[in-house]
């Protein structure tokens, strides 16, 4: 399985890279359609000039600017797709996937679908035989996450030899009121990305298998303290293994 050999086709995603000043790169994401046009700071490029070309080629816009065209990675897609709430960034998602040690075939619960970034990475991690339950309390976030997920899957099907698994169930509901839903579910891992994760713990812990991992994504240390205090006072059967901050430092190497 992998990218479909051959040129771009209508309906798949293309990523255009534009070199800018100070050795920076602007990335533009588009879904190819014969009648559409890609607009960049360096001019426009009709999609019909991209369709039929092999990825990795450099094409010129109407103003002569050079655009490198290729298929986007999942990381690039989630960073450029439409957003409602702030997404969990790929560097943080990668750390959470390693901490939860998710395998193909696992069943994973996600709370806070957001824009669908974590949902997509979990979908890939559990594979075709796995299942992701994604709860979201806000209607607009729920709909956006579903849209971004469907958009990626449909474009993937055109540009790749295999299909992206349809393994995410998006549920519009407050996880704190979903105890009945969880009654007959066995979870291999839980990923919480919500304002008050301590409200979800009493609901999800009976369904989390013995030794399963719950990873919580929080914005500041005050929220971490509140979470740990709730676990202590409610005597919930969780052990805090570690608290980490993931940093990502980019380098630019230039001639002196």
């Amino acid at each position: 399985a992998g990218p479909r050999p051959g040129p771009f086709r209508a309906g798949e995603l293309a990523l255009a890279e534009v070199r800018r000043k100070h050795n920076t790169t602007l990335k533009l994401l588009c879904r190819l359609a014969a009648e559409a046009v890609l607009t960049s700071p360096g001019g426009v490029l009709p999609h019909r000039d991209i369709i039929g070309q092999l990825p990795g080629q450099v094409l010129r816009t109407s103003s002569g600017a050079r655009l490198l065209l290729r298929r986007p990675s999942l990381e690039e897609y989630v960073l450029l797709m439409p957003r409602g709430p702030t997404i969990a960034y790929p560097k943080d998602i990668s750390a959470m996937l390693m901490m939860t040690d998710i395998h193909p075939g696992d069943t994973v619960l996600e709370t806070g679908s957001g824009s669908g970034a974590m949902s997509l990475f979990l979908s890939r991690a559990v594979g075709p035989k796995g299942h992701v339950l994604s709860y979201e309390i806000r209607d607009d976030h729920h709909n956006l996450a579903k849209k971004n997920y469907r958009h990626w899957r449909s474009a993937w099907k055109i540009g790749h030899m295999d299909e992206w698994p349809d393994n995410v169930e998006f549920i519009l509901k407050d996880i704190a009121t979903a105890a009945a839903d969880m009654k007959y579910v066995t979870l291999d891992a839980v990923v919480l990305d919500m304002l008050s994760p301590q409200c979800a713990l009493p609901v999800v812990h009976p369904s989390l298998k013995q030794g399963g991992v719950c990873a919580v994504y929080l914005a500041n240390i005050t929220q971490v303290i509140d979470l740990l205090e709730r676990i202590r006072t409610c005597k919930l059967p969780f052990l805090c293994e570690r608290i980490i901050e993931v940093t990502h430092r980019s380098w630019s190497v230039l001639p002196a």
Side-chain angles (χ1 to χ4, degrees):
R4 185 179 298 276
F8 284 114
R9 301 196 297 168
E12 68 172 306
L13 294 168
L15 185 75
E17 292 189 5
V18 187
R19 296 302 297 271
R20 309 187 78 178
K21 293 181 180 179
H22 309 298
N23 203 39
T24 59
T25 302
L26 173 66
K27 294 182 179 181
L28 304 170
L29 182 70
C30 65
R31 185 161 188 173
L32 297 175
E35 70 282 0
V37 174
L38 173 65
T39 302
S40 76
V44 299
L45 179 65
H47 285 196
R48 63 176 178 270
D49 292 347
I50 303 173
I51 297 171
Q53 299 289 339
L54 290 170
Q57 293 196 66
V58 175
L59 304 179
R60 291 190 179 273
T61 67
S62 56
S63 302
R66 293 160 57 89
L67 300 181
L68 172 63
L69 275 299
R70 57 182 178 82
R71 292 183 173 101
S73 66
L74 179 57
E75 176 188 15
E76 290 164 329
Y77 175 72
V78 300
L79 290 174
L80 296 171
M81 69 185 185
R83 296 187 200 173
T86 302
I87 64 168
Y89 281 85
K91 67 180 181 65
D92 301 315
I93 293 175
S94 298
M96 294 176 76
L97 289 176
M98 286 188 290
M99 292 170 73
T100 51
D101 196 29
I102 295 171
H103 293 78
D106 282 353
T107 298
V108 181
L109 172 72
E110 172 196 20
T111 66
S113 304
S115 299
M118 177 67 79
S119 308
L120 279 161
F121 278 96
L122 288 174
S123 174
R124 182 167 67 179
V126 302
K129 295 183 179 180
H131 191 55
V132 178
L133 299 169
S134 183
Y135 278 78
E136 174 58 57
I137 193 173
R138 287 187 50 164
D139 183 73
D140 54 343
H141 294 176
H142 169 76
N143 291 328
L144 180 59
K146 288 198 299 183
K147 182 179 179 181
N148 284 334
Y149 182 72
R150 288 196 301 262
H151 191 179
W152 174 259
R153 285 193 69 241
S154 60
W156 178 276
K157 184 176 180 179
I158 297 171
H160 291 76
M161 300 295 291
D162 58 336
E163 289 191 30
W164 188 275
D166 186 11
N167 56 5
V168 180
E169 182 181 354
F170 292 98
I171 303 167
L172 180 60
K173 192 172 188 178
D174 184 353
I175 188 63
T177 66
D181 300 352
M182 296 289 102
K183 192 173 181 179
Y184 302 106
V185 176
T186 300
L187 301 170
D188 295 286
V190 173
V191 177
L192 305 181
D193 182 4
M194 53 191 292
L195 289 177
S196 300
Q198 52 268 33
C199 298
L201 291 180
V203 176
V204 303
H205 86 74
S207 299
L208 184 61
K209 71 178 184 180
Q210 187 72 24
V213 178
C214 175
V216 186
Y217 187 59
L218 294 170
N220 57 65
I221 194 64
T222 302
Q223 291 175 295
V224 175
I225 294 170
D226 291 342
L227 175 62
L228 296 180
E229 182 64 11
R230 179 63 177 269
I231 292 173
R232 185 186 68 82
T233 57
C234 294
K235 298 181 180 179
L236 295 174
F238 286 99
L239 170 68
C240 180
E241 294 187 61
R242 53 181 167 150
I243 303 166
I244 66 171
E245 178 181 359
V246 182
T247 58
H248 189 136
R249 180 181 297 167
S250 297
W251 286 72
S252 178
V253 180
L254 301 170

